[in-house]
Amino acid sequence: MTNISYYYPVEGKRFLDEVQDEAYARSPLHGDAWVEMDSRIPVLSIPNEVQTMSSFHTSSSKSEDSMPLSGIWRMKGSEPADHGDPAPATGWFGRKAKPSEGMRDRWYDPDHDRSDWLEVKVPTTVQQALVDLELMADPHWNTNTFDELEQNGTPQETPLWFRRTRVECREWWFATAFEVPETWEGRRLSLTFDGIDYSGTVFLNGVSLGHHQGMFGGPVHDITELVQWNEVNVLVVRIDPAPQSWNGLMKPSPGFGWHYGHLISLGIWKDVWVTVQPDIALLDPYLVTMSCTSDEALLQLEFTTESSLTERTSLTIEGLICLKTEKSSRDDWRNPTSAVQSTADERGSRVDTGFICSIEVPRGRSKFSTVFKLSRPNLWWPSGYGEQPIYELILRSASGSCEHKGAPDIDGLSRESAPESLPGSVGGYADTKPVNVSEIRTSFAIRTVEMRPMTEAVPETDYRWQFVINGESMFIKGANWCWPDVMLTQKEGQIERLLELARRGHVQMLRAWGGGLVESDEFYDLCDQKGIMVYQEFPLCWGPPDAPVTDLGVIDRQTALSVKRLRNHPSLIMWGGGNENGAHGGADEGLFLVGKRCREFDPSRPFHRTDPWGGSVHNWNVYHGGEPLEEAVVAMPSVFYGEFGIPSQTNISSCLRYMPEEALSSFPPTEESRGWKAHFHQFSLKDVIKVMRYASYGPIQSWEDYIIYSQTAQGDAIRLVADLQRAGTGKDKSGFWYYKFTDCFPGHSWAVIDYYGTAKLSYYRAKQASRPQNAFITAGKLEGWLAGEVFRADLHLVNDSRETLSNVTVRVTMFSSQLTELMTWNYPGLTVSPGRVYPIASLEKLLPEASAIQPFLAAVTLHSEDGRRLSDHWYWYNAQPKTAELLAFEQEHRHHSNEYPDHEAAHAFMLYGELPNAPMRELPSTTLEWYVQSADKGEKGRTGGTIVIHNSGMVPAIRVIIHHFPDDWSCYLDDNDFGLLPGEQRHIAYESGFEIRLDKLSVSAWNAPEVTLRTQP
């Protein structure tokens, strides 16, 4: 589809998109001969006849021609091969190399005795299987990870977290047995692995099928000649020991020891299949929306045929497009009677549309393309902008009979229409005979993606950063996504839980971070349904070396498989080459190859070489650099913020899931606090100390203090950058991805949703900052305001929607330390166009005496014409009571000096623990009353209701927090950590499972005592 592009040229200017596209087109670089050949197959354009189809006969479902081999397997560890010292070693010098135990004793033989092998359930990783069998200590719990690395990790001379565990140093062998259905005899069969982590060798009935590397698909083997009919077939997989480094591999990197809990996953982590192969396979359907109006969408379809027949074959291909029903799922293709039901759209017209085209199929692989129209399309929109209708394409041969021809007949590709007798038979052809042709299905949606340059974009240097979906310019409010488990274990409902929290948290786009995974079909299906856009980076982190250190063949194959698997998902908006791959250490051959393949196999989407690059930034002068929050952000303006944030500690309820209760009574941590250190993201006390710089709202003397203050600081940091970026909506800013949304290991980290799927307070602050329609202020600093100084802040109103925001009212009230009103600004009757920001005013106020501004606060509210609250924010200034000694200490510890050996760590903890007061918690007090309104029974095993909270005092309630809301995955709370004006009442919606009780709930504010639950009056 070389005629598809995501951008329109700008006369006289070229941006980084064009520069790189031209470089990819000229490049001779390739890694894998098969992928290179596939990319060069010419695409033959074919006409078609569009029809409205009242019925569509489907071929056999996939369940009849595929057999899953997932389930109970046997597993055993083996001593790895000894490469000798020095390696490679021979009998002529050094120590002679030795084969692995499994290869020496021929564990791959069908008759090998496996009675002592472990019983495990595939898909799995080795580590998860061993934990399930209680043969390995749970690496999530307390000191278990450190114990293993200290006692058994190798090599001992390396730092603890860079050693390899016993599991990671061994080979692991998996085996299963299967019988092939008699009805398949005489057919071609393939053996397909959806994911081996990371490399290994496959044996069938004692014969090696070859070695494979890469965890995102493959290998696929033709096993027709090796299968035994009416006998048991023995499949054995040898998994190699863990790689020594992630660098240059498409493999999640944190578990290698630089970040989070140490664990390098190994195993058969996705499904395994035996499949009947047709004579002619239809493969790799790719649908792109060329253009779209309310009346008609123009779609282009590309697909591949693979024929095992020696003769050129004439085929008539039928395609059916239907709008999926609400109840359909990604597995509907297994039940053809439910998958192809005709559906009426809300306008009353049928949505089943079909087309027919005729093609000539030679032996081997061929590619075809056709264009067709879809009347009255239902557009897919990102969350907050509209609905997410999903279509299904079914593509198959119109008949089981096809004409065979001897000589090629290219003219046959340009027939004006299909034979009149279709559908049902291939009329008009002679000499036909039965041929097996596959049927393929894919989901897709009608939507367009365009990238436009920002007004100040630098030609040749900057990417186009303005995201335009269906013609609507959008400011992106997003977050970085980290895969859910370092052991690659996916619990039922886990992805649904996390993505639903993202949707409810106004996360429009997730950056599938380049330290993690190329995400799963389930992830993308759910993002499609929820309207969450995705920027998918490939797992290449921090400058992969050039070839031959980086195996370009593996990268090439893995890229091609991944792009073809995911390119029909409407939620996938952009590809990326990886995380923080600066112009250093080589890095460009692998990334360049990924970009070349993405643009060849999916030209409808942008590709960014890496992030940050071409106009985006990652701001780690905050936290790592130790610079003041507002100074660091203002000093690093960017059209797009790719990473920013501050880590925080998990809630008490989550801490108790990975640490013993007695550990919570000991604060601060020391170098001997091995359990805590194992759950810090860099295994060091510096992780906590660096956060305290931004979280010193009062003396930090317990884990309870640190948890609430660190989560407060995390939320404040996200909101500050979000506000500054949104102030430039439609002008010089296009979005952000805060770092980050989820976690792969339990513990202290940047995630706002922890490993267990529990929301921190920072999640709610990020949600508030990302409301589609929002009023907010931006000020030059947070701390250091003095009596007699003029407080200045800019007031903004933003409308991230497709509808005009009309006749709304914005109100700003400043409060003193005594919570008396210092100033009120009121702006009624405001109107903002879609996708725009309205700079309402520059606010100024002469600050009174010092005693009135330690701290002072500002409340910003936005109300609709009918009085509904659309957004509110509470800002606090001079809220951190740092001593002169502490400020001097922080000034000394910045950037390379922002590290804390043992004696300096103790001194830091003392300084933060001896802060003189907690001004935000010493404000004039108020009282809260609250109750739970009767819940209504809903669908999907859930109930719903509201928590009604009333500020019955005479001053504002600051930081109203609902405590002990259940962590169960069925439970969702609409808001938390907010302010209430005197006399104000707030209804907070919630959902929970039928069996979940709310009797442990309590509510407090920083200036109101905690109140337990009472019934509705």
Side-chain angles (χ1 to χ4, degrees), residues 485-498:
D485 195 330
V486 71
M487 285 199 285
L488 296 179
T489 300
Q490 186 170 304
K491 303 173 184 68
E492 184 177 356
Q494 183 177 36
I495 301 296
E496 163 67 31
R497 163 70 175 180
L498 296 174

Side-chain angles (χ1 to χ4, degrees), residues 16 19 34 52 352 453 476 497 542 713 717 721 756 800 803 881 958:
L16 190 55
V19 171
W34 186 92
T52 298
D352 284 6
I476 300 300
R497 163 70 175 180
W542 296 344
V721 177
Y756 302 106
D800 291 340
E803 305 295 332
I958 308 302

Side-chain angles (χ1 to χ4, degrees), residues 361-401:
V361 180
R363 181 177 176 82
R365 287 205 164 201
S366 305
K367 292 183 181 179
F368 301 92
S369 176
T370 189
V371 175
F372 61 93
K373 297 175 181 178
L374 187 65
S375 299
R376 306 179 75 184
N378 292 265
L379 285 184
W380 183 95
W381 288 98
S383 178
Y385 283 79
E387 300 300 317
Q388 293 80 42
I390 306 297
Y391 286 86
E392 182 175 44
L393 166 70
I394 306 171
L395 200 64
R396 58 153 298 183
S397 172
S399 173
S401 298

Side-chain angles (χ1 to χ4, degrees), residues 65-317:
D65 55 28
S66 285
M67 179 172 66
L69 298 186
S70 302
I72 301 302
W73 288 49
R74 295 279 187 165
M75 182 184 84
K76 186 176 181 178
S78 161
E79 289 300 319
D82 183 347
H83 301 291
D85 186 14
T90 72
W92 291 102
F93 64 93
R95 189 178 71 218
K96 188 174 182 180
K98 298 177 183 178
S100 72
E101 176 187 2
M103 290 300 293
R104 182 192 67 218
D105 295 341
R106 300 177 64 87
W107 290 5
Y108 52 83
D109 276 352
D111 297 330
H112 181 77
D113 182 9
R114 299 182 182 88
S115 59
D116 64 336
W117 289 30
L118 303 172
E119 241 185 41
V120 300
K121 188 174 182 179
V122 169
T124 189
T125 56
V126 173
Q127 291 94 333
Q128 187 62 60
L130 294 174
V131 170
D132 291 343
L133 293 168
E134 299 183 350
L135 297 174
M136 172 179 161
D138 184 354
H140 296 148
W141 176 251
N142 198 8
T143 64
N144 285 346
T145 293
F146 273 17
D147 293 343
E148 168 64 21
L149 293 170
E150 285 178 342
Q151 298 166 19
N152 305 296
T154 57
Q156 284 284 328
E157 61 271 17
T158 58
L160 182 69
W161 42 88
F162 286 123
R163 298 172 188 171
R164 291 293 177 268
T165 67
R166 288 172 293 176
V167 169
E168 295 159 358
C169 290
R170 292 171 69 80
E171 281 183 1
W172 291 93
W173 292 67
F174 290 79
T176 190
F178 65 92
E179 295 185 46
V180 179
E182 293 182 7
T183 55
W184 289 2
E185 190 163 4
R187 307 284 298 277
R188 289 192 308 120
L189 303 181
S190 65
L191 173 67
T192 302
F193 290 82
D194 290 342
I196 286 178
D197 186 16
Y198 170 75
S199 65
T201 306
V202 179
F203 302 86
L204 180 62
N205 297 329
V207 177
S208 171
L209 302 183
H211 188 263
H212 172 81
Q213 289 188 58
M215 62 184 292
F216 299 111
V220 179
H221 298 291
D222 188 318
I223 59 172
T224 307
E225 302 301 323
L226 292 176
V227 164
Q228 300 177 150
W229 299 96
N230 303 314
E231 293 185 47
V232 171
N233 295 274
V234 178
L235 175 63
V236 179
V237 181
R238 169 196 179 189
I239 302 294
D240 300 329
Q244 288 300 305
S245 171
W246 76 86
N247 204 228
L249 307 182
M250 283 190 178
K251 182 168 172 60
S253 59
F256 279 83
W258 65 269
H259 207 9
Y260 305 113
H262 176 107
L263 191 149
I264 307 172
S265 57
L266 298 166
I268 304 175
W269 74 293
K270 286 188 175 292
D271 289 318
V272 186
W273 304 85
V274 175
T275 305
V276 175
Q277 293 299 320
D279 297 325
I280 301 176
L282 301 177
L283 306 169
D284 303 331
Y286 176 35
L287 283 137
V288 172
T289 305
M290 305 278 290
S291 63
C292 187
T293 67
S294 59
D295 294 326
E296 184 177 82
L298 185 64
L299 304 179
Q300 185 167 355
L301 166 67
E302 180 181 294
F303 63 94
T304 298
T305 61
E306 186 169 58
S307 174
S308 62
L309 303 175
T310 57
E311 306 92 347
R312 173 175 289 274
T313 305
S314 296
L315 276 185
T316 297
I317 301 296

Side-chain angles (χ1 to χ4, degrees), residues 16 35 87 113 191 324 338 426 433 435 581 623 644 667 694:
L16 190 55
V35 176
D113 182 9
L191 173 67
K324 284 183 138 182
S338 66
V426 185
K433 70 175 184 178
V435 172
N581 292 301
Y623 179 73
F644 63 95
F667 190 90
Y694 307 97

Side-chain angles (χ1 to χ4, degrees), residues 70 96 126 158 186 243 297 481 664 686 688 826 927 983 1006:
S70 302
K96 188 174 182 180
V126 173
T158 58
W481 168 270
L664 288 168
K686 68 184 180 184
V688 174
N826 201 48
T927 56
W1006 274 16

Side-chain angles (χ1 to χ4, degrees), residues 719-720 722-729 731-733 772-780 792-799 805 808-812 827 830 832 836-843 860-862 871 873 875:
R719 180 173 65 180
L720 185 139
D723 286 352
L724 288 171
Q725 289 297 103
R726 297 191 77 181
T729 298
K731 298 181 293 185
D732 59 347
K733 312 291 184 192
Q773 297 168 325
N774 223 338
F776 55 92
I777 58 175
T778 54
R792 291 185 174 88
D794 293 324
L795 177 62
H796 313 270
L797 174 60
V798 70
N799 177 23
L805 185 61
V808 296
T809 298
V810 174
R811 183 182 180 92
V812 182
Y827 300 93
L830 302 177
V832 188
R836 292 291 181 266
V837 64
Y838 177 46
I840 299 173
S842 292
L843 311 179
V860 183
T861 59
L862 169 65
S871 75
H873 289 283
Y875 299 89

